[in-house]
Amino acid sequence: MIGYIIRRLLYAIPILIGVNLLTFTLFFFVNSPDDMARIHLGGKRVTPEAIVKWKDDHGYNKPLLYNSGRPGTGKITDTIFYRYSVRLFVFDFGSSDQGRDIRNDISQRMWPSLAIALPVFLVGILVHITFAMLLAFFRGSYLDTSGVVLCVIMMSISSLFYVIGGQYLISMLLRLVPISGYDLGFEAVKFLILPIIVGVVGGIGASTRLYRTFFLEEINKDYVRTARAKGLSELRVLFRHVLKNAMIPILTGVVVVIPLLFTGSLILESFFAIPGLGSYTIDAIHSQDFAIVRAMVFLGSVLYITGLILTDITYTLVDPRVRLE
Amino acid sequence: MNSMPFQPEILWTDFLIFVLIGSFLVFIVYTLRHEHLRVPWRQVARRPMAMASMVILLAYVAVGLMDSIHFRPLQEGQNPEAPVYSNEVLSLLDKAAMPLRARTEKTYSAPFAMQAYSKETVEYPDGGHARENPRLLYGGAHLQDPSERAADIVRRAGTATLAALGLWSLLVVGFLLSWRQSHEPLMQTVRRLVRGKGEFPWRAVLITSGILIILVLNAVYLSLYYHIFGTDQVGQDVFYKSLKSIRTGLVIGTLTTLVMLPFAALFGIMAGYFRGWVDDVIQYVYTTLSSIPSVLLIAAAILTLQAYIATHPESFTSATERADIRLLFLCLILGVTSWTSLCRLLRGETLKLREVDYIQAARALGASHLSVMARHILPNVMHIILIAVVLDFSGLVLAEAVLSYVGVGVDPTMDSWGNMIVSARLEMAREPLVWWSLAAAFVFMFSLVLAANLFSDAVRDAFDPRLRK
Amino acid sequence: MKRPGATRYALLAISLIFSAGAAASWNNPYPAAEAKSNILYSAFRERPKTFDPARAYSSNEYLFIAQIYEPPFQYHYLKRPYALTPLTAVSVPTPVYFDKHGRRLPHNTPAAAIAYSVYEIHIRPGIYYQPHPAFARDADGRYLYHALSTHDLAGIYAIGDFPRTGTRELAAADYVYQIKRLAHPKLHSPILSVMNEYIVGLRDYADTLKKEYEKIAGGRDTGVFLNLAKFPLAGVEEVDRYTYRVKLHGKYPQLLYWMAMPFFAPMPPEADRFFSQPGMAEKNLTLDWFPVGSGAYMLTVNNPNRQMVLERNPNYHEELYPAEGEPEDGAAGLLDDAGKPMPFIDKVVFSLDKESIPRWNKFLQGYYDRSAVLTEGFDQAIRFTGEGDTEVSDTMKQKGINLRTSVAASTYYLGFNMLDPVVGGNTERGRKLRQAISIAIDFEEQISIFENGRGIAAQGPLAPGIFGYREGQAGINPYVYDWVDGKPRRKPLEYARQLLVEAGYRGGVDPASGKPLSINYETPAIGPERKAQLDWMLKQFSKLGIQLVVRATDYNRFQEKIRKGDAQIYDWGWNADYPDPENFLFLLYGPNKKVGHDGENASNYDNPEFNRLFERMKNMENTPERAEIIHRMLEIARRDSPWIWGMHPKNFLLEHSWMYNAKLNQMANNTLKYSRLDPDKRAERRVAWNRPVVWPIVAVLGVLVVGAVPAVVTYRRREREGAV
């Protein structure tokens, strides 16, 4: 298995190179280094000399992919792409075009992101499984039918409405929690309650419905019938046998997103003014800070690939029949 | 030269919509000819919920199609010998809803209001000033006194409902006559219908149509006299904007899948069929694409398009064309970010299929790769594609709103529910609340997505072999 | 016996919730312990880019650094028109003029004859810097933190992590050092190009520094210290410990205004050396993020991702609240604190709050002490009185909220590109077309719909309050307005249509093509929230039968088009750097064109007569003669209409009743030190306004419990069936 993991990790390298190639090309098609210089030098009284100087300072005065003016390997290495993308592989993100160290920023903003994403993820799974089990338990009854209809209704509502509605109701009308913001330590709790509730509620519809089908699939299997025939109560059957087996598709489905929890949620973070990585990314797009964009794309890809590998490993752990080769 | 009253204009998305409808018709004909394909559809058709949803979907599609036939009207007051067409591109819907389009107020007004939402300084002839809510230019303008409003609305709603019921009864009677088996007493046919007998849930369909007809007639009739969903900041009728948004939502939901389908199907099947290096390359491409956070990819692509439009302004003469090309591009890039999952599914299925006896046999008999893939594998993975198409639809409609919030959605000049929500969000701080734009976007979007979800459920249940047993 | 117990606990929980709700506000975004402290709470919208006084040039940066860095002069807080007063200087100096040969000239010499002007600035002794580790010394007088190794820096993440601090008296050399920094090759100061024109020797100095820097740096990006004290700058010299001199080419009275901006604040060389050590930049420890000043406040928490905190500088020199102002200031209570030492507030907490709605709501809840008015919240906040003036609405009055208004020294306009063959050109045809469009675009309506009346329609480029601006009939733009009943009134549309006919576009039809005239409108307005405004703009042009093609692009692309002169009509605006007409009129000065000169004249307007008058006007003192020249320039510009004179926005500031001493000052940025607040009153109001409403939650829980009953019933039945 270790051999397999190593091979997967090696395979990640060409993927990451591809990711970088794509982001660099797209970004430089949109933003010429001149544009970037202008943005960072501000709107007033910018001279052409200042722009040339800025480009020199930040290494954007070179060709993007191929430097025909250089001998030998210099043709490849003396380019923006080589200069900036190789460093990413050792997680040296350098400093943003504004001059702040990106790794420092990421390590700071990671925690608020996690503070929202992790509870949303854990509470979410718990709530969704509970609801799904309830529906499965009452399968066929009016509770089940109305529950499923409710799920479909809930998943037909745009996530923006959950946020807007939650903010309006809980914060503005009832004044129960601060409307937005963030604080360090224990003080953060009052800011996190609402986004977490909104995040969990917004996901109920789709997840509950999906998990319900997992439960129903298990419930209809022979071993469950046998257990029931043995006289085990319905609840015990559900908890002892069905839950355990239905957890396999649920877990393997969610493992892939675990690493991505670090990058946070774009919408929740920007609506609730949480200084996490999600809002960091949005801000970088808006201010066209390429250093941050490429760092976040790279980080996102690395985490995604990690998630894929974790998923494979989970498969072997929960199902011994699967072997990685 | 004789002048036409308009000059037809086919936008890119219009063209693709017609292609889509064409392929849809071909698909229907194909399905009707093949018994094994008809079976699951019949199963879908037996579900009352699915059929009721379909009625609603059809209503949406009708509005969307009307909004997809574009033309440039004749410039007013021109010499008919040398016709000059406007730079403004209109659609059939614009034409039909001309009263709604033209009757703009100055700024906000509440649904069914007669007076503006905000106070204005009004100057009296005697030189005095006062802050008051002025009467609207159009909303309720036929009334003398604001106190008549409630009675007027009830009366008009009553009229519209009565007319709708009449229309609906005609429909029902017409249906009964054609549905009646020969020599069956009419009462028995009615009884059959009321009890919901028969293969097809006619009862559900007719009830949904009835409700729909009542709603539509009420909306149409009342909107001639009032702004039934209020007006927005520049005084545009919100009902009209919501109608215009339907096309945007439908285009995103359908064209995205249309543009990605060929790639996903081709690459998925090729990867599974050929294996080896072809598989490696295709897997590499889709892993790379799917590992980039999709919002970033979409943002980059949209910015790229804007750069292109900015450097080629001559290719896009009207705001409608610019908005349209951006919509198309958004569909393309959403397709790029969403084809990978379908591709992976198809690859897996093809891997299994290629080992199946009859395909091995076809190969042994010397059938070419292409024909094996097209004639044996593709039909056998069709159900996967179909399920993906219907399931993706509602997700894409919802995604549009989020992307607009992030700032990389459809063009800001285009009517869309996402744009409505984003601008309505700022209105939430007003006191009293400006809630109607948000409410209108919610109602229209919610009913479309809900109907689509219910319909796709039925399709999935019918086609998914795992659930079919 | 389970059930009664459960009910009891539930009741207990509910009563606890209610009692807790009565005592405190749950939605307080700040720690409860701070409730009664003398802290001002405010918000910032976007993270500032830099706090380096040589680079910072935008209002969201000045919001902070103007409180920290002290240039020699400042604007008087209360007096109008804006007047400079000394801050760290002893007085505002008058320049001494010299000819080419160094001979002193009398003060009334015409500008053309002046070769050099020299400003000598005396600094007050006894001013000390804020406590800072860069000044910390050991017992032998050696700097503690000027030779740090990576090991020393291991546990350091912010300036507060250094255990020891020190201070030093402010010296004239620090001012000289900062002026030299404007030419530093790595700083890219935005005013270097302007100052190159005036400060003697600055251009060569920049070249010298570039060479020297490359020698020292040897390819390194960070951790390079270029000691500017070693390189003399010809035009700026230290005379003695408290005096320095600045020598300029020609006459440039506006220099004093620049010297009231942070660009000319003192920079202690110790701080530059301290932050230039290797390893500092990697930890974001730079002058960009950690300012070192002598001002009333110092930055103690710098987390641009969340919060900035300014705290009172313990070493702050004595500065007293001004004792004189405008006549009405006394009645408004603005002189109550006269003669008291500033600052009044101990600490200012700025929280990052990008979204306008939460910001506005927190203000209403009492969690921000002041707020700019949102257009969205306008009806709620503002009410018009009979005379067209504004005051706060009744609901706001009940809360004790006060409104301050002031017309900003800015202008927003729609520019015509004068190089364009259709809308541009110094011909009768182009002029009439531009005038017609200027009449058709109803900026009064724009202001009332989109700005909710927060602005006044412009009559020309000059904002009110700037020298040369005329009130009343003499100040109107006669090409767009008529003077009717003591008020300017926009000319009727028929007149605009008539102009259009005269320009050759009958009914808006272009005779060349036979098609309606189609004009491109460039705007950086992307985002759905601007759709309404674009629709409105289309409507304005259609009044004339002209078709407007909106080309909304991102800001980069927009700027590029303006730079290349590809635009026809475009959106633009200008915030004045200083209250001088030159700072507005140079936007129309020919040699300052965008195309070819990369200047700020985005319309590429170039009228020889206007240019000639500008050159005469720019260096004059504010004399009646200058006013007359300005009047002539305005007449030329109004006739040519290179811009549709749009609007001068009004700034509205709302303040809670516990705030004192607020007067909007469009020029001064260092205004925090004047503010005072009453924390006890605030604490009381906050509690009263923010009682949580709990019953709906309890009700929802109740409904859920009731709703669970059928589920329990079903469950029981199933169990029974299972048992059977």
Side-chain angles (χ1 to χ4, degrees):
Chain A
M1 183 148 117
I2 294 185
Y4 170 81
I5 293 174
I6 290 174
R7 226 161 350 106
R8 285 294 298 260
L9 288 178
L10 286 179
Y11 182 59
I13 293 174
I15 291 181
L16 290 174
I17 292 178
V19 168
N20 277 342
L21 211 58
L22 201 66
T23 31
F24 275 69
T25 329
L26 265 180
F27 196 91
F28 278 97
F29 187 83
V30 183
N31 293 288
S32 71
D34 281 32
D35 293 338
M36 290 161 64
R38 266 171 221 286
I39 288 252
H40 294 291
L41 293 175
K44 274 172 154 185
R45 304 184 193 273
V46 178
T47 56
E49 301 88 67
I51 289 172
V52 171
K53 237 160 78 178
W54 187 90
K55 285 196 291 184
D56 286 352
D57 285 353
H58 291 80
Y60 290 126
N61 51 352
K62 299 184 174 123
L64 177 57
L65 294 174
Y66 185 75
N67 193 345
S68 53
R70 286 298 166 123
T73 53
K75 284 191 194 325
I76 304 291
T77 56
D78 198 30
T79 57
I80 295 180
F81 180 71
Y82 188 84
R83 183 177 158 174
Y84 282 103
S85 74
V86 168
R87 293 206 285 197
L88 291 178
F89 281 89
V90 287
F91 293 95
D92 173 8
F93 298 129
S95 63
S96 77
D97 295 337
Q98 280 182 24
R100 278 181 75 86
D101 189 65
I102 294 178
R103 185 152 42 161
N104 202 326
D105 264 356
I106 289 181
S107 62
Q108 255 186 34
R109 302 191 73 138
M110 195 172 82
W111 302 112
S113 276
L114 268 185
I116 290 222
L118 202 63
V120 168
F121 176 74
L122 292 179
V123 178
I125 288 196
L126 206 70
V127 170
H128 303 157
I129 288 182
T130 315
F131 281 177
M133 256 173 74
L134 274 175
L135 294 185
F137 180 75
F138 292 113
R139 65 191 171 278
S141 76
Y142 80 97
L143 269 174
D144 180 28
T145 333
S146 51
V148 172
V149 170
L150 194 67
C151 282
V152 179
I153 288 178
M154 286 184 77
M155 62 191 270
S156 304
I157 297 174
S158 167
S159 53
L160 295 179
F161 284 113
Y162 286 107
V163 185
I164 295 173
Q167 241 176 7
Y168 185 72
L169 197 73
I170 308 280
S171 289
M172 292 197 205
L173 285 188
L174 304 185
R175 301 188 285 269
L176 295 180
V177 291
I179 187 159
S180 70
Y182 189 72
D183 207 338
L184 303 174
F186 189 69
E187 289 283 339
V189 173
K190 63 185 173 202
F191 294 103
L192 295 179
I193 294 173
L194 186 57
I196 291 173
I197 291 179
V198 167
V200 170
V201 170
I204 283 183
S207 306
T208 304
R209 212 167 64 119
L210 180 69
Y211 296 170
R212 175 180 161 274
T213 59
F214 292 155
F215 280 109
L216 288 185
E217 220 165 279
E218 287 301 320
I219 281 180
N220 290 330
K221 283 188 178 159
D222 291 341
Y223 74 95
V224 179
R225 295 212 182 115
T226 323
R228 216 178 282 139
K230 276 198 299 190
L232 281 177
S233 85
E234 184 71 28
L235 266 188
R236 291 191 117 185
V237 174
L238 209 55
F239 274 102
R240 268 237 190 114
H241 300 284
V242 177
L243 179 62
K244 212 176 89 190
N245 285 303
M247 281 308 277
I248 294 176
I250 294 177
L251 275 187
T252 47
V254 296
V255 160
V256 70
V257 304
I258 292 178
L260 287 170
L261 293 180
F262 283 93
T263 55
S265 152
L266 297 180
I267 294 185
L268 286 181
E269 284 181 19
S270 59
F271 264 101
F272 290 99
I274 309 266
L277 287 177
S279 44
Y280 191 54
T281 314
I282 296 267
D283 292 352
I285 294 176
H286 285 266
S287 64
Q288 315 203 333
D289 198 323
F290 182 45
I292 300 177
V293 170
R294 69 179 171 241
M296 289 310 294
V297 168
F298 188 81
L299 193 67
S301 311
V302 168
L303 292 174
Y304 176 79
I305 293 170
T306 319
L308 289 183
I309 299 176
L310 280 182
T311 310
D312 286 350
I313 296 172
T314 323
Y315 268 118
T316 57
L317 292 183
V318 296
D319 189 351
R321 283 169 303 177
V322 178
R323 276 232 206 100
L324 301 176
E325 25 177 275
Chain B
M1 193 179 96
N2 247 338
S3 69
M4 282 209 299
F6 58 86
Q7 180 183 37
E9 171 96 15
I10 296 178
L11 300 175
W12 272 103
T13 48
D14 292 341
F15 172 73
L16 286 173
I17 285 173
F18 296 132
V19 169
L20 185 70
I21 291 176
S23 39
F24 188 66
L25 291 176
V26 170
F27 179 74
I28 289 181
V29 171
Y30 183 82
T31 309
L32 287 178
R33 290 226 185 120
H34 293 76
E35 173 62 23
H36 69 279
L37 289 175
R38 262 183 300 172
V39 174
W41 279 115
R42 223 174 274 141
Q43 200 185 329
V44 174
R46 271 201 291 269
R47 301 252 299 235
M49 199 79 107
M51 287 303 101
S53 305
M54 199 172 79
V55 173
I56 295 170
L57 286 179
L58 282 177
Y60 272 91
V61 169
V63 176
L65 282 182
M66 261 173 79
D67 205 6
S68 301
I69 298 169
H70 286 98
F71 59 90
R72 291 170 191 263
L74 201 63
Q75 190 80 19
E76 274 168 44
Q78 298 289 329
N79 180 3
E81 294 304 310
V84 172
Y85 298 103
S86 167
N87 258 1
E88 195 179 26
V89 177
L90 292 181
S91 74
L92 222 53
L93 180 71
D94 295 329
K95 190 88 183 156
M98 195 49 102
L100 289 182
R101 212 172 95 82
R103 286 191 297 197
T104 57
E105 308 289 346
K106 193 170 168 201
T107 179
Y108 291 116
S109 67
F112 291 106
M114 296 174 63
Q115 283 157 321
Y117 161 78
S118 51
K119 290 195 166 133
E120 262 180 53
T121 311
V122 181
E123 215 170 305
Y124 288 112
D126 60 2
H129 295 263
R131 281 293 276 176
E132 56 181 43
N133 302 83
R135 281 287 296 265
L136 295 179
L137 289 174
Y138 301 102
H142 60 291
L143 296 178
Q144 287 296 318
D145 189 58
S147 60
E148 304 162 16
R149 190 179 62 140
D152 184 65
I153 295 172
V154 171
R155 196 166 49 80
R156 289 181 194 280
T159 319
T161 312
L162 279 182
L165 285 176
L167 197 66
W168 183 63
S169 329
L170 281 181
L171 182 79
V172 173
V173 170
F175 166 74
L176 283 174
L177 289 178
S178 65
W179 198 45
R180 179 176 155 195
Q181 287 149 5
S182 49
H183 310 302
E184 189 189 21
L186 193 63
M187 270 327 282
Q188 193 167 341
T189 323
V190 173
R191 225 173 288 132
R192 264 203 303 147
L193 179 69
V194 173
R195 288 193 187 143
K197 289 269 171 66
E199 276 264 288
F200 192 83
W202 287 112
R203 186 178 54 169
V205 170
L206 284 175
I207 290 175
T208 323
S209 326
I211 295 172
L212 208 60
I213 290 175
I214 293 175
L215 285 180
V216 168
L217 273 191
N218 266 307
V220 168
Y221 187 54
L222 285 171
S223 68
L224 291 176
Y225 299 92
Y226 297 94
H227 300 288
I228 58 170
F229 276 104
T231 54
D232 68 358
Q233 196 182 11
V234 278
Q236 275 195 341
D237 192 286
V238 173
F239 180 50
Y240 172 69
K241 280 174 66 174
S242 318
L243 286 179
K244 290 289 283 180
S245 304
I246 289 179
R247 177 176 187 268
T248 315
L250 289 178
V251 165
I252 292 209
T254 53
L255 281 196
T256 303
T257 16
L258 179 79
V259 293
M260 69 127 181
L261 260 188
F263 299 98
L266 185 70
F267 289 145
I269 293 175
M270 269 171 63
Y273 183 80
F274 289 111
R275 301 195 293 196
W277 68 267
V278 178
D279 189 18
D280 288 342
V281 169
I282 291 171
Q283 276 204 64
Y284 171 75
V285 170
Y286 72 60
T287 318
T288 306
L289 276 180
S290 59
S291 68
I292 298 181
S294 54
V295 171
L296 285 174
L297 192 63
I298 293 169
I302 289 293
L303 289 173
T304 315
L305 176 80
Q306 277 187 338
Y308 178 81
I309 292 183
T311 43
H312 299 81
E314 66 287 347
S315 322
F316 312 97
T317 53
S318 69
T320 317
E321 275 174 79
R322 291 155 59 91
D324 182 72
I325 203 78
R326 176 155 170 180
L327 176 65
L328 178 65
F329 203 74
L330 189 66
C331 290
L332 281 176
I333 192 69
L334 271 171
V336 168
T337 58
S338 62
W339 69 279
T340 52
S341 55
L342 178 60
C343 188
R344 189 174 299 143
L345 278 177
L346 290 178
R347 173 180 168 271
E349 191 67 20
T350 313
L351 274 176
K352 273 186 247 162
L353 277 174
R354 76 189 296 279
E355 306 301 332
V356 175
D357 296 341
Y358 69 92
I359 287 174
Q360 295 285 344
R363 278 298 294 144
L365 289 172
S368 75
H369 291 304
L370 197 66
S371 83
V372 172
M373 284 194 284
R375 303 185 59 179
H376 298 294
I377 293 184
L378 185 63
N380 281 302
V381 296
M382 216 49 204
H383 65 279
I384 296 182
I385 296 180
L386 193 75
I387 292 172
V389 170
V390 289
L391 281 186
D392 278 356
F393 176 81
S394 46
L396 288 167
V397 175
L398 292 176
E400 186 270 323
V402 173
L403 289 177
S404 294
Y405 171 73
V406 178
V408 294
V410 298
D411 193 88
T413 60
M414 182 166 244
D415 287 306
S416 84
W417 294 313
N419 281 346
M420 280 171 77
I421 296 171
V422 173
S423 45
R425 215 167 48 80
L426 294 174
E427 294 160 3
M428 295 292 284
R430 283 188 180 258
E431 183 80 33
L433 200 65
V434 175
W435 49 270
W436 44 88
S437 288
L438 208 60
F442 177 81
V443 167
F444 276 83
M445 195 168 169
F446 175 69
S447 6
L448 174 65
V449 175
L450 184 63
N453 274 333
L454 292 173
F455 186 72
S456 65
D457 264 9
V459 172
R460 193 189 47 188
D461 289 353
F463 281 87
D464 195 334
R466 278 200 311 166
L467 297 172
R468 214 169 354 178
K469 45 183 173 180
Chain C
M1 275 286 94
K2 257 193 224 158
R3 196 161 287 177
T7 321
R8 210 171 56 221
Y9 282 124
L11 282 176
L12 190 68
I14 290 169
S15 59
L16 266 180
I17 289 171
F18 272 107
S19 54
S25 34
W26 295 357
N27 58 355
N28 186 353
Y30 312 113
E34 285 179 4
K36 294 201 168 172
S37 322
N38 185 11
I39 302 176
L40 177 82
Y41 295 98
S42 188
F44 64 107
R45 295 185 71 150
E46 46 185 324
R47 39 195 270 172
K49 280 182 183 163
T50 172
F51 287 151
D52 189 325
R55 297 178 57 197
Y57 199 12
S58 68
S59 53
N60 63 343
E61 293 153 359
Y62 282 178
L63 179 65
F64 301 98
I65 64 169
Q67 327 303 331
I68 298 167
Y69 285 106
E70 290 192 307
F73 315 119
Q74 63 182 342
Y75 289 93
H76 194 282
Y77 184 54
L78 300 172
K79 280 189 195 162
R80 301 291 181 277
Y82 296 107
L84 289 178
T85 60
L87 176 57
T88 60
V90 175
S91 61
V92 180
T94 38
V96 180
Y97 301 122
F98 296 92
D99 68 6
K100 276 203 293 265
H101 312 290
R103 276 186 302 243
R104 191 169 167 159
L105 295 169
H107 199 256
N108 54 3
T109 314
I114 295 172
Y116 300 104
S117 19
V118 172
Y119 290 78
E120 189 168 278
I121 296 136
H122 301 277
I123 300 298
R124 279 158 56 191
I127 295 176
Y128 282 86
Y129 281 106
Q130 66 173 78
H132 196 276
F135 300 118
R137 295 166 187 253
D138 61 12
D140 306 329
R142 282 189 304 254
Y143 287 110
L144 272 173
Y145 303 121
H146 282 203
L148 296 171
S149 62
T150 18
H151 176 70
D152 295 333
L153 280 171
I156 307 285
Y157 295 99
I159 285 303
D161 295 337
F162 289 98
R164 299 269 301 274
T165 60
T167 184
R168 171 168 74 68
E169 194 190 9
L170 178 70
D174 301 337
Y175 285 95
V176 176
Y177 196 85
Q178 167 69 2
I179 298 174
K180 289 177 175 173
R181 287 183 83 236
L182 298 178
H184 192 288
K186 283 285 156 179
L187 289 179
H188 309 295
S189 176
I191 63 162
L192 178 62
S193 58
V194 182
M195 290 305 141
N196 271 342
E197 303 292 320
Y198 296 106
I199 297 180
V200 172
L202 194 63
R203 203 183 294 272
D204 297 335
Y205 192 67
D207 295 337
T208 315
L209 289 188
K210 190 170 165 57
K211 279 184 209 115
E212 292 296 331
Y213 184 87
E214 273 157 17
K215 253 188 254 167
I216 304 174
R220 278 177 301 160
D221 277 351
T222 56
V224 182
F225 176 56
L226 181 63
N227 189 358
L228 304 177
K230 279 203 260 172
F231 307 98
L233 167 59
V236 183
E237 58 174 327
E238 178 191 2
V239 180
D240 60 41
R241 183 167 169 79
Y242 299 111
T243 313
Y244 68 104
R245 258 186 224 136
V246 181
K247 188 177 179 189
L248 304 182
H249 292 292
K251 184 180 173 185
Y252 188 52
Q254 287 87 355
L255 178 78
L256 287 175
Y257 294 126
W258 286 111
M259 290 182 88
M261 295 169 80
F263 291 115
F264 287 84
M267 176 56 69
E270 294 95 323
D272 192 12
R273 177 188 289 274
F274 173 78
F275 283 111
S276 299
Q277 298 179 77
M280 286 285 216
E282 285 72 18
K283 302 199 160 212
N284 290 338
L285 297 173
T286 62
L287 274 174
D288 280 335
W289 299 108
F290 293 97
V292 187
S294 58
Y297 291 95
M298 54 188 197
L299 190 70
T300 50
V301 174
N302 179 345
N303 182 351
N305 301 327
R306 192 173 72 79
Q307 201 176 54
M308 305 273 190
V309 177
L310 292 177
E311 277 180 72
R312 182 196 284 270
N313 171 8
N315 299 338
Y316 191 55
H317 56 88
E318 180 175 78
E319 197 192 359
L320 304 179
Y321 190 89
E324 45 185 359
E326 285 187 290
E328 62 270 24
D329 289 347
L334 285 169
L335 294 176
D336 292 356
D337 286 324
K340 292 187 189 159
M342 299 189 291
F344 299 107
I345 293 170
D346 294 336
K347 191 171 163 183
V348 188
V349 175
F350 293 90
S351 308
L352 179 68
D353 219 336
K354 279 183 209 147
E355 299 277 329
S356 52
I357 305 305
R359 228 175 23 240
W360 176 243
N361 275 288
K362 282 183 202 162
F363 169 69
L364 291 182
Q365 293 169 341
Y367 295 125
Y368 287 136
D369 295 315
R370 38 173 70 150
S371 164
V373 185
L374 283 177
T375 37
E376 293 79 32
F378 192 81
D379 282 325
Q380 188 182 4
I382 312 291
R383 185 179 80 156
F384 288 86
T385 60
E387 284 70 50
D389 281 339
T390 45
E391 61 174 38
V392 290
S393 65
D394 290 337
T395 40
M396 296 273 148
K397 256 187 194 157
Q398 278 167 11
K399 288 194 156 192
I401 292 172
N402 299 313
L403 171 72
R404 322 257 170 228
T405 66
S406 153
V407 179
S410 341
T411 180
Y412 289 112
Y413 59 89
L414 284 175
F416 293 102
N417 177 13
M418 294 298 283
L419 302 178
D420 184 80
V422 179
V423 300
N426 204 3
T427 60
E428 202 54 33
R429 189 193 50 79
R431 205 172 292 135
K432 288 217 162 116
L433 174 63
R434 291 194 295 272
Q435 287 171 2
I437 295 174
S438 303
I439 294 169
I441 298 182
D442 188 349
F443 262 95
E444 285 80 6
E445 190 179 292
Q446 143 100 12
I447 292 166
S448 93
I449 295 182
F450 297 104
E451 306 294 330
N452 259 322
R454 295 180 313 164
I456 57 169
Q459 304 290 343
L462 288 188
I466 303 295
F467 182 81
Y469 178 85
R470 292 191 182 181
E471 300 277 348
Q473 189 170 9
I476 67 162
N477 175 5
Y479 298 94
V480 176
Y481 289 92
D482 293 319
W483 188 260
V484 181
D485 297 338
K487 274 185 293 193
R489 198 178 67 190
R490 193 167 280 275
K491 286 184 189 285
L493 261 183
E494 288 70 49
Y495 180 73
R497 294 201 183 104
Q498 179 57 36
L499 282 174
L500 212 56
V501 172
E502 287 167 26
Y505 303 101
R506 183 175 293 276
V509 176
D510 185 357
S513 62
K515 283 188 175 182
L517 186 59
S518 168
I519 293 179
N520 299 325
Y521 169 47
E522 308 291 341
T523 168
I526 44 175
E529 60 276 8
R530 291 294 301 276
K531 178 174 174 357
Q533 296 205 29
L534 296 180
D535 286 345
W536 180 86
M537 196 58 87
L538 289 172
K539 222 158 87 180
Q540 304 305 305
F541 279 80
S542 66
K543 287 195 256 178
L544 294 179
I546 298 176
Q547 285 183 340
L548 193 68
V549 179
V550 178
R551 293 181 172 173
T553 43
D554 62 300
Y555 192 61
N556 273 341
R557 219 62 51 193
F558 172 74
Q559 281 205 317
E560 191 182 313
K561 282 187 185 173
I562 304 296
R563 231 175 19 253
K564 288 188 182 155
D566 285 347
Q568 284 190 298
I569 295 183
Y570 62 93
D571 271 338
W572 204 267
W574 179 255
N575 284 319
D577 293 311
Y578 42 80
D580 192 274
E582 179 261 357
N583 199 245
F584 283 98
L585 294 171
F586 89 116
L587 299 171
L588 292 167
Y589 177 53
N592 193 23
K593 273 191 277 200
K594 263 279 151 186
V595 174
H597 297 76
D598 242 350
E600 294 293 341
N601 176 356
S603 272
N604 306 303
Y605 177 61
D606 195 355
N607 181 312
E609 176 66 7
F610 186 94
N611 295 348
R612 200 180 55 76
L613 289 171
F614 178 82
E615 281 153 23
R616 259 184 74 195
M617 180 279 303
K618 69 172 181 181
N619 296 332
M620 288 173 79
E621 267 91 38
N622 286 341
T623 56
E625 190 197 351
R626 193 180 197 211
E628 191 42 45
I629 297 176
I630 291 170
H631 191 63
R632 276 164 63 197
M633 292 173 72
L634 291 180
E635 163 60 25
I636 296 170
R638 283 167 180 159
R639 187 174 55 97
D640 286 343
S641 299
W643 299 353
I644 299 165
W645 320 105
M647 59 172 282
H648 307 296
K650 257 187 201 165
N651 287 349
F652 280 27
L653 182 76
L654 288 170
E655 262 196 337
H656 283 296
S657 54
W658 53 80
M659 295 294 301
Y660 300 93
N661 296 343
K663 176 166 180 176
L664 286 179
N665 188 319
Q666 303 298 338
M667 286 299 147
N669 291 301
N670 58 347
T671 51
L672 272 183
K673 60 186 176 190
Y674 302 97
S675 302
R676 186 161 61 81
L677 67 87
D678 179 349
D680 293 329
K681 192 172 175 187
R682 174 172 66 189
E684 178 199 316
R685 294 290 167 89
R686 276 186 184 171
V687 171
W689 291 344
N690 292 295
R691 295 198 201 286
V693 187
V694 183
W695 65 265
I697 301 294
V698 178
V700 167
L701 287 179
V703 169
L704 279 185
V705 170
V706 173
V709 170
V712 174
V713 172
T714 319
Y715 168 68
R716 291 240 162 125
R717 206 180 56 227
R718 289 232 176 147
E719 283 297 276
R720 263 200 310 279
E721 282 163 8
V724 172

